[in-house]
Amino acid sequence: MNTIFTPPLYIQRYEFVIDFVKKNKPKKVVDLGCNDCTLLRKLKFHKEIELLAGLDIDCAVIRAKMYELAPIPTDYLQPGDHPLTIELYQGSVTERDPRTKGFDLVTSIELIEHLQLEDVDRFTEVVFGYMAPVAAIISTPNADFNPLLPGLTGFRHYDHKFEWTKVEFQTWALKVCKEFGYVVAFTGVGQIPAQEESIGFCSQIGVFQIAGGDARLQNNVAEEHLPYRVLYNVVYPSLCDSNIFQRTLVNEVLYWAETLKREWLEEIRGMGDEESEQTGEEGCSREGMDREESQTGEVEAGGRGFEVENEEVGGEGRTDMGQEEPYREGQSVCVPLVRLCSCPRVQALSGTVQSLTKFLLENSRVQLTNDGTAVVLVDSDDEDLEWDENCDNTGTGPFFVSSVENEDWETELGQ
């Protein structure tokens, strides 16, 4: 079938779930019959999800791929606003486990046809009566489509116990809605040109949503038996962790402070070069003029005017740029916190200049001016600057980073 449909049918099924997640933004999702965790690996990148769970009866197939769900370095460098918890269980979908209650979305992709017919009723009761999610996506092969598949005899897979026609699937789904208080929309994926519309999709899908849109009250997990075995559990880094929040905010402050410093220095040098060119052109134009006119002081006044302007821009004064722009103090460049707080990421993390100031005053990785209104950065482009031993070879200069903090960060990344 992968050669008939583009993209392959299994990818279309995953994309259907992903589109549903993008539109409805569930926070808690469980995939029944998760197999090699392919769908879970795709869903973990959706920041709205806070709990992602998978269940399969075959522990070997889960273990073969479960570590691909582990956080990667960028998850530490760019942590989310809330933690993502991933849990993988071994167990049967016909058993009740209270840890599967309270989910916003349950997915069962090409699973139900692997159950014995006598187990379908138990599956139905567990999913819709016991787990009672806000929404459920159930997909299963459409037997009406089988005659259109070249070379197919019997069921599509050796482990299928049955395959429903479109009418049989819809009859089951409508019965579920009546018994457990859901509404269903029928759709699917996989069609070929010139097929009869009445045949439907190759994979038929029922999207169930609880009537009224409210999840039912759930029982206390601690009071019930837990038949599922935990195979894997991981919690992703997030800004809810105070240590991670501190590192993230400081990293953003240092990054933007260095960026603003370099932009300001380049602008100052550009203005100086432009003034020098203008002065040179003015001198050339006066070569043919009378020497006495050059002694009237006009040229000297013009030269002094350039020096004064340069002092105002590149010196310790802040007149031209204002308090929101960087300024010099000796061999250092000071970047005002007001300017830093206008950077979207810094503002999102700190909120106000006052809270940013309070936070940075308590952090040893950032050096502030005596009045606490600006971040101090050494101008690494100053020729007279003696480099500190902590400077790297990238030309970015020292960031006053505590070696203890740095060691902890690298250790965490290594984990």
Side-chain angles (χ1 to χ4, degrees):
M1 285 189 295
N2 291 338
T3 60
I4 299 176
F5 301 102
T6 304
L9 200 59
Y10 74 95
I11 292 180
Q12 292 188 45
R13 290 192 288 261
Y14 293 152
E15 288 178 347
F16 182 91
V17 175
I18 290 169
D19 289 342
F20 183 91
V21 169
K22 288 179 179 178
K23 180 179 178 181
N24 295 275
K25 302 188 183 307
K27 293 183 177 180
K28 301 171 67 177
V29 180
V30 57
D31 183 28
L32 305 181
C34 63
N35 198 262
D36 63 357
C37 307
T38 299
L39 180 57
L40 299 179
R41 291 199 300 272
K42 294 177 180 292
L43 291 176
K44 77 170 190 173
F45 294 103
H46 293 266
K47 299 300 183 181
E48 62 271 8
I49 298 178
E50 299 178 8
L51 174 58
L52 195 56
L55 171 68
D56 203 284
I57 200 167
D58 188 346
C59 65
V61 72
I62 292 181
R63 283 177 170 161
K65 297 288 187 178
M66 64 185 186
Y67 291 110
E68 294 184 12
L69 292 168
I72 57 179
T74 53
D75 292 316
Y76 291 93
L77 296 173
Q78 298 177 341
D81 294 334
H82 55 76
L84 166 64
T85 300
I86 297 180
E87 300 173 346
L88 300 179
Y89 301 101
Q90 178 196 14
S92 170
V93 292
T94 61
E95 292 183 291
R96 299 182 174 193
D97 190 300
R99 290 169 293 189
T100 60
K101 287 185 172 184
F103 278 80
D104 299 309
L105 174 63
V106 169
T107 61
S108 173
I109 307 302
E110 309 294 286
L111 167 68
I112 195 171
E113 65 274 7
H114 291 270
L115 302 176
Q116 298 290 345
L117 276 172
E118 55 268 24
D119 289 331
V120 171
D121 288 341
R122 295 178 62 187
F123 166 84
T124 303
E125 196 282 326
V126 167
V127 173
F128 296 100
Y130 181 77
M131 295 172 62
V134 175
I137 298 176
I138 310 292
S139 83
T140 188
N142 175 12
D144 293 332
F145 204 95
N146 287 353
L148 302 179
L149 300 176
L152 177 65
T153 57
F155 294 151
R156 299 183 192 178
H157 190 273
Y158 72 90
D159 190 54
H160 287 185
K161 306 304 187 294
F162 63 90
E163 289 180 357
W164 278 333
T165 64
K166 187 170 71 170
V167 172
E168 289 171 333
F169 175 64
Q170 293 184 2
T171 299
W172 169 81
L174 293 173
K175 182 181 178 183
V176 167
C177 294
K178 183 177 180 180
E179 290 185 8
F180 300 102
Y182 281 81
V183 293
V184 63
F186 297 108
T187 183
V189 295
Q191 288 184 310
I192 59 178
Q195 74 172 66
E196 294 183 19
E197 186 176 345
S198 60
I199 293 177
F201 297 90
C202 186
S203 280
Q204 49 193 343
I205 297 175
V207 180
F208 297 81
Q209 291 186 307
I210 197 167
D214 297 324
R216 300 185 179 99
L217 295 177
Q218 307 301 326
N219 297 328
N220 191 334
V221 171
E223 297 178 356
E224 300 190 43
H225 174 58
L226 307 177
Y228 296 165
R229 181 158 64 107
V230 178
L231 298 179
Y232 184 72
N233 181 284
V234 64
V235 179
Y236 275 55
S238 75
L239 297 176
C240 295
D241 184 308
S242 59
N243 291 330
I244 293 175
F245 175 82
Q246 291 175 14
R247 291 190 182 105
T248 302
L249 178 55
V250 169
N251 287 344
E252 291 290 338
V253 167
L254 292 176
Y255 169 78
W256 284 108
E258 179 67 21
T259 300
L260 293 171
K261 181 199 80 171
R262 289 190 171 278
E263 290 177 354
W264 180 73
L265 289 175
E266 290 173 3
E267 181 180 353
I268 298 306
R269 293 188 185 102
M271 293 173 65
D273 293 341
E274 183 179 342
E275 290 291 346
S276 298
E277 290 176 3
Q278 291 177 356
T279 304
E281 290 173 1
E282 182 180 357
C284 292
S285 65
R286 290 177 180 269
E287 281 186 6
M289 297 177 65
D290 189 81
R291 186 178 299 274
E292 292 183 0
E293 183 180 352
S294 68
Q295 296 175 352
T296 60
E298 294 178 6
V299 177
E300 292 181 5
R304 180 56 186 164
F306 166 68
E307 291 176 4
V308 171
E309 184 177 350
N310 233 10
E311 281 184 4
E312 290 178 351
V313 174
E316 294 183 6
R318 311 181 204 177
T319 356
D320 280 5
M321 291 299 183
Q323 293 182 347
E324 290 191 5
E325 294 301 326
Y327 58 91
R328 278 195 181 277
E329 280 192 1
Q331 291 181 336
S332 300
V333 174
C334 301
V335 183
L337 298 187
V338 173
R339 181 68 179 89
L340 284 169
C341 210
S342 67
C343 301
R345 182 62 173 163
V346 175
Q347 186 179 43
L349 291 169
S350 60
T352 63
V353 177
Q354 291 76 13
S355 60
L356 178 61
T357 304
K358 181 180 179 182
F359 174 83
L360 295 179
L361 285 171
E362 301 171 353
N363 194 285
S364 61
R365 291 180 62 194
V366 179
Q367 180 176 333
L368 297 181
T369 54
N370 292 333
D371 59 3
T373 61
V375 174
V376 179
L377 295 175
V378 174
D379 181 6
S380 59
D381 296 323
D382 194 324
E383 294 179 358
D384 298 327
L385 176 65
E386 293 184 3
W387 282 61
D388 184 85
E389 62 180 1
N390 289 327
C391 290
D392 57 22
N393 59 1
T394 62
T396 58
F399 275 163
F400 306 98
V401 179
S402 164
S403 59
V404 176
E405 289 281 353
N406 208 29
E407 182 179 354
D408 291 344
W409 179 246
E410 291 174 355
T411 302
E412 186 167 349
L413 278 178
Q415 294 173 351

